[in-house]
Each structure stands twice: as C-alpha cells, then as structure tokens.
Amino acid sequence: MFNIAIDGPAGAGKSSIAKAASAELGFLYVDTGALYRTVALGALKQGLTPEDKEQIIALLPDLDVTMKFVDGEQRVFLNGEDVSEDIRLPEVSWAASTVSAIPEVRTFLFDLQQSMARENNVLMDGRDIGTVVLPDAQLKIFLTATPEERARRRYEQLKDKDGITYEEVLADLNKRDYQDTHRDVAPLRQAEDAVLLDTTDMSFDEVVEAIITLAKERFS
Ligand code: DC
C-alpha cells in the first residue's frame, strides 16, 4: 500500500487540500481529526467537559467510533449515528484538542487509523500521522502557514455564518496549536523525514500541485 501522511497546525488547509490531492491520485482521504472530534462529541453528549479526564477514559468502552466512505467521502459515526456535521461545531474543535491529549483516547483510535492505511492507499491527515501513526509512510508532508494567514483563510470561511471576528479566529487557532504542540503524548511536530510546505504565499492549486508532484516522484 502507498501511504501519504500530512500533518500540520489548525487551519493550514489540510483537509481541503488533502481532499483535492487524494481525488487526483485515486487515494482514500482519511481525516483523523474527525475521529478525535467524534470522541469529544461523545463526551459532550454525556454532559462531560473535555477536562473530565477520568470520566472520559471510563466512557471509551461505550463509544463506538466508526467511519464509512460514501462516494469516496468520509463519514463518521458515533454509536451508529452519522455525526459528520455535528463534529464541526466550534465547541467541538476545542474539546477535540483537549481530549486528544489523553493517552487512552489516542490508543483508542490508533488501530482504526492504522488498519485503514494497511488496507488502502491512503492520504491521511492529522497531527501525529508522520511521527506516530504511519511512521513508514512513503511520503510525509508538514503543511503550514503563518498563524495570521491561517486565521485569515478560516475567517473568510466563517465570517458570514458565525459573526465571529478575525481576532477571535486568530486567538482560537493559537490556543489550539499551543495545546496540540505542548501535550506529552504525540504532540504536533514535523517528522524528520517530512517535506515542509509553507503555503503562506501559495495558492490552493499550487499546494495541491506540489503534493501531486511529490507523490508521483515517490510512487513512480
Ligand atoms: O484536524 P482537526 O482540526 O479536525 O483536529 C481536531 C483536534 O484533534 C486537533 O486540535 C488535535 C486533535 N488531533 C490529534 O491530536 N491528532 C490527530 N492526528 C488529529 C487531530
């Protein structure tokens, strides 16, 4: 199997870029952030706060987290219910970042991620894919951009929906990146053998093209 790992901070455009690149390459796109979001949603639905570490660990055996691919698009399920839209709520972003620092949560989701990559050519994105989940991926990319540029892009997507300000978006991104980078287990960092793609001054198409070119070099 051919595996591509893409890691990077929040708002680097990983999912939209990964979607476009995987479609062109004919790879399955696996968004691992969606799995952490599903666990976070499960905890919130039980009335827990993301800081309730012990209760969240105790809840894990009762959480059935699965994913299915419908027309090549990933859907995530919590105890059989399709929660693919609910996990995008803003409060779930922060909750996902917080619960993802719990080692038992990471272990809980580990096999699911690895088995997807064993059985399919995948392009998988997240925070620890190149470092922990798929250390043998044939191509690893660390996708980033300045915090200001990432916040600007996210603000453009959100401003009509949420009435949120650019400053709030920037503060949320910085807070989440800090937490994801400073946790003890599998923190966000660039794998030593990853290619760094700083997309601050690149267009969407240029980034997708750069990934396709790297993939074709590695896989031909
Ligand atoms: O990619 P995302 O923004 O949907 O991810 C939500 C949170 O999940 C992110 O802030 C940290 C966590 N996460 C993780 O710890 N490891 C991954 N491989 C993917 C996401």
Side-chain angles (χ1 to χ4, degrees), residues 6-80:
I6 301 188
D7 293 299
K14 290 190 301 292
S15 61
S16 48
I17 285 163
K19 230 179 247 176
S22 58
E24 199 157 324
L25 292 165
F27 280 33
L28 201 60
Y29 166 49
V30 181
D31 166 8
T32 63
L35 303 176
Y36 290 93
R37 287 171 180 271
T38 303
V39 170
L41 184 69
L44 294 174
K45 275 180 184 261
Q46 287 300 312
L48 300 176
T49 72
E51 287 75 25
D52 291 332
K53 190 175 163 189
E54 295 310 322
Q55 287 101 313
I56 291 173
I57 294 170
L59 180 66
L60 290 174
D62 298 327
L63 294 184
D64 178 34
V65 177
T66 52
M67 53 185 160
K68 272 189 208 142
F69 290 83
V70 181
D71 297 330
E73 186 139 338
Q74 176 183 333
R75 311 287 302 177
V76 281
F77 295 80
L78 175 62
N79 297 334

Side-chain angles (χ1 to χ4, degrees), residues 7-11 14 31-37 87-88 92-98 100-101 106 113 125-129 133 154 176-177 179-180 183 185-186:
D7 293 299
K14 290 190 301 292
D31 166 8
T32 63
L35 303 176
Y36 290 93
R37 287 171 180 271
I87 59 165
R88 299 295 157 196
V92 180
S93 301
W94 176 248
S97 171
T98 306
S100 73
R106 306 202 71 82
Q113 297 172 77
D125 82 7
R127 302 292 186 286
D128 63 336
I129 307 306
V133 178
R154 181 145 290 186
R176 194 143 69 92
D177 286 347
Q179 176 159 267
D180 293 343
R183 64 180 178 226
V185 189

Side-chain angles (χ1 to χ4, degrees), residues 135-152:
D136 298 328
Q138 291 89 340
L139 174 60
K140 299 179 186 177
I141 294 168
F142 195 80
L143 199 68
T144 189
T146 61
E148 291 74 20
E149 175 60 16
R150 290 186 281 117
R152 191 193 63 75

Side-chain angles (χ1 to χ4, degrees), residues 29 48 72 81 89 110 143 151 187-188 209:
Y29 166 49
L48 300 176
E81 184 193 350
L89 293 169
F110 189 75
L143 199 68
L188 167 65
E209 209 37 58

Side-chain angles (χ1 to χ4, degrees), residues 57 69 82 178 190 196:
I57 294 170
F69 290 83
D82 187 340
Y178 185 89
Q190 183 180 343
L196 175 67

Side-chain angles (χ1 to χ4, degrees), residues 160-178:
D160 298 331
K161 277 189 243 161
D162 289 1
I164 195 164
T165 66
Y166 166 80
E167 284 72 25
E168 286 167 336
V169 175
L170 179 62
D172 282 354
L173 277 185
N174 281 334
K175 195 171 146 201
R176 194 143 69 92
D177 286 347
Y178 185 89

